[in-house]
Amino acid sequence: MHIKRQRGWEIPEHLATPEAAFLSRRSLLGAAAGLMAASAFGDRAFAAAGSGAYPAAQNAAYTLDRPVTPERYSGDYNNFYEFGTSKTVLPAANALKTDPWTIKIDGLVEKPFEIGVEDLVRTMGLEERLYRHRCVEAWSMAVPWTGFPLSKLVALAKPTSGAKYVQFQTFLDKAMAPGQRQFFYPWPYIEGLTLAEAGNDLAFLVTGVYGKPLPNQFGAPIRLAVPWKYGFKSAKSLVKVSFVAERPKTFWEGLQAAEYGFWANVNPAVSHPRWSQASERVLGTDQRVPTLIYNGYGEQVAGLYKGLEKERLFV
Ligand SMILES: Nc1nc2c(c(=O)[nH]1)N[C@H]1C(S)=C(S)[C@@H](COP(=O)(O)O)O[C@H]1N2
Ligand SMILES: [Mo]
């Protein structure tokens, strides 16, 4: 049975016209309330549609303080160095072959395994979440990701007691990805989280956006979304998730450790060595808005960093 529902993100997207600049914060909050009402229907649609279906029901726990960025902006301004260093990677990313695609789960787990992305999606089920995304370059967007909590994959992997970190690896294929022929980059793209961070409900594995499977330039067929950290932590087109004892050395640390560290939590008060992080340009608008500590997710994640104050948490 097909149940027509109003996708919550259509509401803020409709508002994301130039007029949106004049909306007060109060009316945006009103839109957020409408969005929560809309997703009450979404939850019923989820049961009917089953897992693997797009669009997935929206999880009403994740709301925005701003309109969703229209896809014509977010889908045409991407960082995906495998396909070039400009923001216009869309044409080059057409070369990314995502079918078939398997992902390996290995390292310090009960039993390593490999699983096709479609099977993984069927196993995990899908939900939609509205997340903010803050690039270290001081632009931002707000997008409706579809996916499942990373914690569910951790549970499936059954890490052993020695596992302290989760390492994420992007595909390596020089023939497909021209950027990977640039020898001075430390390919493949590697990212990492602590096991505690990976277990936080906000850490999300993404297989779709805007109610459909991920377009290539967003990191198809499966990428990470870690919305309280700078965007580079959200590694794209993953082929391997490894549970390890040592802190992974990330792609950006390998390139420039002074500027891009392991923790990379968003903090407006800690400048990048070359620019301020106090505010951000919102894609698709001519607005700059203040950047929030932990990108506005402090309530959910600040506790992860108790006792780690001596670390470079915000670089
Ligand atoms: N494999 C891979 N993952 C990546 C990147 C990349 O170049 N390669 N760029 C990162 C950066 S800097 C950002 S801001 C986001 C951009 O995601 P988007 O293009 O979907 O907006 O992807 C991150 N993940
Ligand atoms: Mo970024």
Side-chain angles (χ1 to χ4, degrees):
M1 186 174 56
H2 178 74
I3 297 176
K4 168 70 186 152
R5 71 187 178 89
Q6 181 163 35
R7 279 166 242 141
W9 48 265
E10 285 172 353
I11 300 164
E13 180 159 359
H14 166 71
L15 293 176
T17 55
E19 293 90 317
F22 299 99
L23 287 174
S24 67
R25 182 173 157 77
R26 244 176 100 203
S27 54
L28 286 179
L29 289 175
L35 182 160
M36 275 195 253
S39 46
F41 293 97
D43 293 342
R44 260 183 279 150
F46 181 71
S51 62
Y54 294 89
Q58 191 174 93
N59 184 336
Y62 301 92
T63 55
L64 294 173
D65 59 351
R66 61 193 70 175
V68 162
T69 305
E71 186 179 1
R72 66 182 178 281
Y73 299 111
S74 59
D76 199 29
Y77 190 89
N78 301 90
N79 275 333
F80 202 170
Y81 275 48
E82 284 81 348
F83 294 101
T85 53
S86 87
K87 296 292 186 263
T88 315
V89 295
L90 196 159
N94 280 333
L96 176 61
K97 287 225 168 17
T98 58
D99 186 23
W101 192 282
T102 59
I103 183 161
K104 242 186 218 133
I105 314 297
D106 71 2
L108 303 171
V109 294
E110 255 178 37
K111 190 167 179 277
F113 62 95
E114 194 165 342
I115 185 168
V117 166
E118 281 174 25
D119 286 339
L120 186 63
V121 161
R122 260 191 294 279
T123 308
M124 297 294 169
L126 291 176
E127 64 184 65
E128 182 176 87
R129 295 184 180 184
L130 303 177
Y131 272 7
R132 292 183 296 273
H133 174 101
R134 171 58 158 83
C135 176
V136 72
E137 299 161 336
W139 56 267
S140 72
M141 60 182 185
V143 281
W145 297 125
T146 306
F148 55 87
L150 175 59
S151 62
K152 279 194 176 182
L153 184 74
V154 174
L156 187 72
K158 300 198 184 75
T160 56
S161 60
K164 300 283 182 271
Y165 296 90
V166 190
Q167 176 177 306
F168 302 88
Q169 185 179 319
T170 297
F171 73 87
L172 182 60
D173 186 340
K174 284 190 213 294
M176 195 163 74
Q180 293 186 332
R181 291 172 222 151
Q182 304 291 349
F183 64 89
F184 42 83
Y185 289 105
W187 307 111
Y189 199 97
I190 298 282
E191 261 306 335
L193 296 172
T194 65
L195 201 55
E197 290 176 325
N200 187 278
D201 192 52
L202 273 175
F204 204 50
L205 277 168
V206 171
T207 60
V209 69
Y210 298 103
K212 60 186 189 214
L214 279 178
N216 285 357
Q217 72 274 20
F218 282 102
I222 184 164
R223 57 93 56 88
L224 200 54
V226 195
W228 71 96
K229 292 177 178 278
Y230 290 116
F232 64 84
K233 298 295 294 183
S234 295
K236 294 178 164 183
S237 301
L238 301 174
V239 294
K240 193 153 79 165
V241 178
S242 308
F243 292 79
V244 296
E246 306 295 330
R247 186 175 294 184
K249 177 147 185 216
T250 69
F251 176 84
W252 288 105
E253 274 188 297
L255 211 53
Q256 188 58 275
E259 301 191 355
Y260 310 101
F262 172 78
W263 294 102
N265 295 306
V266 174
N267 187 342
V270 179
S271 297
H272 182 278
R274 290 182 282 135
W275 58 82
S276 163
Q277 296 290 24
S279 69
E280 62 204 52
R281 180 173 64 86
V282 181
L283 287 193
T285 76
D286 50 17
Q287 288 176 285
R288 279 198 90 82
V289 302
T291 289
L292 304 172
I293 179 93
Y294 295 112
N295 201 22
Y297 296 103
E299 211 171 294
Q300 293 98 309
V301 301
L304 290 167
Y305 306 102
K306 293 243 163 70
L308 292 170
E309 291 79 7
K310 290 213 172 76
E311 301 264 340
R312 288 164 77 217
L313 290 175
F314 304 107
V315 175

